[in-house]
Amino acid sequence: RILDTCIWISDEKTTMREAVTRCNLLHTNGRLYAPLNGLQNKLINVLLLEKEKDFFGWDSVIYNLKESKNYEKTLYISLFSNPSDTFSFVYLSSNKNLTFDLWGTKNHGRTSEPDNNHHGQAENCVVNWPQYGSWHDILCNRNEAFICEIPLE
C-alpha cells in the first residue's frame, strides 16, 4: 500500500497496451499506476528498490546504482502524450493533464525528457526510471515492466 492505493509491480515485461490490459484484469478498479504527486512517486521508487534488494541483495542494488550498470529497469506508468500536442502528457486513466512532473534531464548524454524522438519515431508512452528518480518517454511497443494500482475507497 502506498498512500491511498494498493500497488502491484510486475516482473514481466510487455507493451504498454498489454500492461493496461493486465492491470485491468487484476481487479475491478485495477489500472496502470498514475503518479499524482512527488511523495507518491518517491514512495513507489523506494518500494521498487526494496523489491530489487529482496530479490538481488542490497549490496548488488547499491553497487548497480553507484556504477549505473545492470540497473536499467524501467516500468510503464499511466501517462500518454496528448494526440494534439505530443510534448504534452495526460493521465491515461482520466485523460486529464498532469498534476506534476518528474521528467529526466541529461542522462547518458541524452537531452532532457520528454524528447518524443527515438530515431524519428514518436515516443508517446512513459516509464518510471527508479535509478534516476525520473520519467522518460519511450515507444509504446517496447517490452517493459509495469506498475498497477487499485485505488482504495
Side-chain angles (χ1 to χ4, degrees), residues 4 15 18-20 22-23 25 28 37 47 49-51 58-60 80 99 101 106 119 132 134-136 142-143 145:
D4 58 351
T15 65
E18 185 62 25
V20 169
R22 302 264 172 103
C23 290
L25 291 173
T28 307
N37 59 59
L47 179 65
L49 290 174
E50 283 294 317
K51 185 174 185 213
W58 188 246
D59 290 340
S60 175
F80 192 79
T99 54
D101 70 66
K106 293 184 180 182
H119 305 291
Y132 299 105
S134 61
W135 306 337
H136 300 272
R142 282 185 47 176
N143 287 323

Side-chain angles (χ1 to χ4, degrees), residues 89-125:
F89 285 76
V90 297
Y91 291 108
L92 190 60
S93 56
S94 66
N95 206 34
K96 293 183 179 178
N97 290 331
L98 302 181
T99 54
F100 84 113
D101 70 66
L102 284 171
W103 293 112
T105 55
K106 293 184 180 182
N107 288 317
H108 306 296
R110 296 187 335 209
T111 57
S112 295
E113 299 288 340
D115 59 6
N116 197 30
N117 186 2
H118 180 77
H119 305 291
Q121 297 180 54
E123 296 179 306
N124 296 321
C125 292

Side-chain angles (χ1 to χ4, degrees), residues 1-2 19 22 39 55 57-58 68 81 84 86 101 108-109 111 129 137 147:
R1 178 180 175 165
I2 302 256
R22 302 264 172 103
L39 174 62
F55 187 75
W58 188 246
S68 295
S81 65
S84 62
T86 55
D101 70 66
H108 306 296
T111 57
W129 202 341
D137 60 337
I147 307 169

